[in-house]
Amino acid sequence: MSRLVIVSNRVQIPTEKAPRAGGLAVALGSGLAPGTLWFGWSGKRGHNGRTPSLHDAQGVTYATIDLTEKEYHDFYVGFSNGALWPLLHYRLDYLDYHRHQHQGYCDVNAYFAEALLPLLKDDDLVWVHDYQLFLVGENLRARGATQKIGFFLHIPFVPPEILDALPCGLELLRGLCAYDVVGFHTDEHRNAFLSCVETFLGLASADDGSFVFEGRLVKTVTAPIGIDAEEFAQTAVRAARGAEVRRIRESLFSRALVIGADRLDYSKGLPNRFRAFDQLLERFHEHRGKVSMLQVAARSREDVDRYQQLRRTLDRLVGDINGRYSEFDWIPIRYMTRALSRKSLAGFYRVARVGLVTPLRDGMNLVAKEYVAAQSSADPGVLILSRFAGAADELKEALIVNPYDADEVAEAIDQALAMDLGERKERWQALRERVWAGTPARFTETFLSVLRD
Ligand code: ADQ
């Protein structure tokens, strides 16, 4: 069996306290067979660490490099999160492109490839993750790597009209074509990529989504990421017996809870979500004083201006809504701008009658799956899900909404709060099957089987 080499922007080495730190580590789950090498940025900024430091933990070797302050600002804050992230979430109005930051991105991708190359063995399978590292494959090839190299994009891909706005869009597209396999969460993202390949490179793809670029076959694959639902469900059951869940229940006085949990990111549609909740209270008076919303928004990318602006917008919006509707013993929106532990989150999902997952665009969205996994079979809550989340492809029995339509979302919340137990159970059973089927192993196997082939 070939050794698996994972390459991702951030590498978090597991510790006793956090045995599987980080989103990708959780998602890859059993994909991390003993012997796996995981390569990426340590999260440290400074001038040291140009050659990888190696650490072994739980059978996996972690190889990390550091970035300089300038690399961090140009590659990570600037081009990755100020240009690529908004572009690939259809936010051309937020696209903040600077040529020197793009150069920083190219340089860091080359640096990743240079530092990784000496660690590779001939028959390794190399799996590169996400938009920060589009050009690592091309750089490895240019330095003579002959291994199979695959790439997975965790966020959406966009159609040609949108990619066209990025001055270096064609260059990135060609970079992606250096991989043997390019993977996406949904057919929509994959088709958008193939459509760009056809429009900008003039290459038609075969029925199986493969095409030939400069004499090499490039395959594409749809591999929806999932969660370890059974483990998450057990965490929720344990949490439900704990002190925090008791406290939140006591604080609700039998009121229904609507929950949202996201990184504080403009792709998640938080202002729209609050406006929808405002509409609910405006139009359906019977819910005033009877329902509370808990929004947990983990602060994220605070070095990027747009994220600071968003935080101020949300502070104002929540203050405005709470000021208008609060009673001396009830506030409509409980708003926390920090991360919760997985256990607390699981417990709160289980208490919540409604899970409100309304991103404006999202590659997949794992919160939707976690909310389903955390419900009790005897009295499950209702998932409201944006049609623009990749998860909507699979989770069809949720109440699917257009997050731009505050009235539609308000009506869906009203419908969810009124839904009888029979319908809630029926929808949840169907969702449960889909979420349990989408294991981390299915994700890694779907991708790696095509790469190995
Ligand atoms: P994210 O944009 O980070 O991931 P998501 O898939 O929802 O979005 O994952 C977020 C994770 O963070 C979930 O496990 C969630 O529980 C946790 N989380 C969110 N808010 C939290 C909070 N306030 N406190 C604690 N934990 C919180 C990117 C893409 C997604 C894609 C994933 C995986 O944008 O579309 O699903 O990668 O591919």
Side-chain angles (χ1 to χ4, degrees), residues 104-149:
Y105 179 90
C106 296
D107 293 347
V108 170
N109 274 251
Y111 163 37
F112 263 64
E114 248 158 49
L116 172 61
L117 195 65
L119 304 178
L120 292 184
K121 298 180 194 163
D122 286 348
D123 66 341
D124 280 345
L125 282 181
V126 184
W127 189 5
V128 181
H129 288 264
D130 232 1
Y131 62 99
Q132 302 91 350
L133 305 178
F134 278 143
L135 304 178
V136 167
E138 184 180 59
N139 276 285
L140 284 170
R141 293 258 181 264
R143 286 161 181 76
T146 54
Q147 289 82 355
K148 289 181 174 161
I149 312 175

Side-chain angles (χ1 to χ4, degrees), residues 261-279:
D262 313 74
R263 279 184 310 97
L264 207 165
D265 192 299
Y266 50 81
S267 65
K268 305 295 180 184
L270 296 174
N272 306 64
R273 192 180 303 170
F274 288 146
R275 279 187 217 109
F277 199 70
D278 187 355
Q279 275 304 301

Side-chain angles (χ1 to χ4, degrees), residues 8 26 45 49 83 120 166 199 284 306 314 334 403 417 426:
S8 67
V26 174
R45 283 130 69 177
L120 292 184
L166 186 70
T199 304
F284 303 93
R306 290 288 181 192
L314 293 171
R334 304 172 181 197
L417 290 169
E426 214 168 281

Side-chain angles (χ1 to χ4, degrees), residues 154 185 262-263 268 296 339-340 345 362-366 370:
H154 289 263
H185 288 305
D262 313 74
R263 279 184 310 97
K268 305 295 180 184
V296 201
L340 292 177
L345 205 54
D362 218 329
M364 172 55 74
N365 193 299
L366 295 178
E370 292 167 358

Side-chain angles (χ1 to χ4, degrees), residues 88 229 334 391 428:
L88 294 172
R334 304 172 181 197
W428 179 74

Side-chain angles (χ1 to χ4, degrees), residues 23-24 26-27 85 89 130-131 152-156 185 189 225-227 232 260-265 267-268 295-301 336-342 345 349 357 361-368 370 389-390 443:
L24 188 59
V26 174
W85 180 271
H89 287 87
D130 232 1
Y131 62 99
F152 190 84
L153 184 64
H154 289 263
I155 66 178
H185 288 305
H189 307 156
I225 200 166
I227 60 167
F232 200 81
D262 313 74
R263 279 184 310 97
L264 207 165
D265 192 299
S267 65
K268 305 295 180 184
Q295 176 63 52
V296 201
R299 291 196 300 272
S300 173
R301 304 180 190 165
M336 301 163 68
T337 53
R338 59 177 178 272
L340 292 177
S341 71
R342 289 192 76 64
L345 205 54
Y349 288 148
V357 183
R361 282 284 160 186
D362 218 329
M364 172 55 74
N365 193 299
L366 295 178
V367 170
E370 292 167 358
F443 169 65

